[in-house]
Amino acid sequence: MFFTLIIPAFNADQIGKLLYSIVRQNESDLQVIICDDSESDGVYRVYNKYNVYLNLVYCKTDKHKTKCPGNTRYDGMKHISKDTKYVLFADDDFFEADALPKIKEFIIDNNYPEVVFSNIYETRDTKCNNMCDLYCKGQYPKVQTLSSLAWLHGNLYRYDFLYNNHIEFKEDLISHEDVYFNCSILAHLTGRGITYVTFDEPFYNWVRRDKSLSNIPVEGHTYIEKYLYQYIYSSTEPMFDGVKIYPDSYLYYRGQCMGTLVFSYFYYQFFIWSEGENILKENIGYIRDLVYRMMNVFNITKEDIINLVYTCPESYNDMKIDTLNMGYKFVETTSFRDFILKL
């Protein structure tokens, strides 16, 4: 089996368009695992409809009770065919027509790399009742092209690399489970001196939805404020683990944790700017814990952290611009230096 595609399915409406786009791949060397995490039988009915066209594996789970999407993917990975060469993941989105044969040729030409990252298309959520017709005509609205380095969408992972390095989803993460997975990938690649390859032609269409979980306030707070701890954990825990296994790559792991710290600082400035007195005060504790863990693991001081940031002003400004471009508007109420020294 060349490809195994894992789909966490939370309701039947989500996967029809996706499965239709998979049928149109004209790729027979493909296993599709539908991990049904719904509370009805709608997903199973869709599975039966497409089972005559695709090599489908159906598994039922009840992880919806935890509201942790990584748990569903974790269950799905248990059903991967052992002869699978590459694993990829998809949500309620869709593929470009005939994309997988092109990716397969690219992988073979590049001597079966451990990981293939790609760019993806961002498309708008269309309410058209005949989305399949739009798909056939190529008339769905593409907004922009995005890098999927931190996401799962559009990436392919060699199965023996995942299996041999025990890379899997961290259970019980409500958010940023994809960040944890990819940071684990990058930690092992860097530690072993392996470079991933990039497929430049977007073949996956990620559908932006205004009512997706990450765009809906949680208990009166933005998604990133409510789950800042899980962002910090997901992006740094693989690095702290990595430095234990591959100490020669110390500088890389330290740099990744520094990036998470700077983004967390910017996010916290956004919380102050947008929330005022309603800010979740426990988040400052999570940032403080990160700083002290970095000091312990990397044998550095607060002054070292500050100096590392201020000696790379271009990176600092780039991360600030990235934060603003994500919609987290803020004015710095305190400098990074003062912020760190007060922790």
Side-chain angles (χ1 to χ4, degrees), residues 258 261-262 265 305-306 309-310 316 332 334-341:
M258 287 292 301
L261 176 60
V262 173
Y265 159 73
I305 291 173
I306 293 166
V309 169
Y310 284 126
Y316 181 86
E332 294 180 67
T334 184
S335 68
F336 180 80
R337 173 186 293 277
D338 291 342
F339 181 81
I340 296 299
L341 290 177

Side-chain angles (χ1 to χ4, degrees), residues 2 9 21 28-30 83 94 118 124 128 152 158 186 191 256 267 275 311 332:
F2 199 90
S21 75
S28 59
D29 205 0
L30 168 68
D83 63 345
F94 56 99
S118 76
R124 295 189 184 92
C128 176
L152 299 172
R158 209 172 72 192
L186 293 170
Q256 293 299 107
Y267 291 148
E275 295 280 350
T311 54
E332 294 180 67

Side-chain angles (χ1 to χ4, degrees), residues 47-58:
Y47 156 78
N48 276 332
K49 175 182 177 180
Y50 282 93
N51 196 32
V52 296
Y53 306 107
L54 296 167
N55 176 19
L56 295 183
V57 176
Y58 175 85

Side-chain angles (χ1 to χ4, degrees), residues 17 19 102 117 128 139 142 159 175 198 264 288 339:
K17 178 170 77 265
L19 291 174
K102 295 178 184 177
F117 286 112
C128 176
Q139 294 177 350
K142 299 175 183 178
Y159 179 60
S175 73
T198 302
S264 297
R288 182 188 301 112
F339 181 81

